Amino acid sequence: MKLRLLACAALLAGCATQPAPPGSVVAAERLSTSVVAGRTTKADLLAAFGPTKSVRFDSGYEAWVYQSPAGGGQFSEFVVLIDPSGVVSKTRTRAPSAPSSP
């Protein structure tokens, strides 16, 4: 009986934790000072921040997503658009969404 209660408690605790954010987690300051459109390459990103979630388009462009802690268990999003030659074309930062009401 005790074993069942412990197993149930462990399962419930797992449900209560925040899911991992998509993409690698990197401090916003590091991203904004290290990633420069027209200069930073894919190799630079991998060396500085490691692999992250990405989408590759038929055109050869790629979008890489990094996350930065924004407090309260939320994360801002830093999206990097990489051109077919492997150089950063542009970046975009998105603040975390407001929590939805029940």
Side-chain angles (χ1 to χ4, degrees), residues 9-101:
L11 286 173
L12 289 174
C15 292
T17 59
Q18 291 280 347
S24 296
V25 177
V26 180
E29 300 80 34
R30 280 191 62 209
L31 288 165
S32 63
T33 59
S34 301
V35 182
V36 179
R39 191 174 72 199
T40 305
T41 66
K42 243 167 66 164
D44 295 335
L45 291 171
L46 285 171
F49 310 117
T52 190
K53 294 209 178 203
S54 64
V55 176
R56 184 171 177 85
F57 300 98
D58 291 340
S59 63
Y61 280 84
E62 295 179 51
W64 290 18
V65 179
Y66 292 95
Q67 303 289 320
S68 297
Q74 294 188 321
F75 295 84
S76 61
E77 180 179 81
F78 189 82
V79 180
V80 180
L81 183 65
I82 302 168
D83 70 23
S85 70
V87 177
V88 172
S89 174
K90 63 172 70 173
T91 64
R92 176 189 63 113
T93 302
R94 185 175 65 104
S97 303
S100 57
S101 349

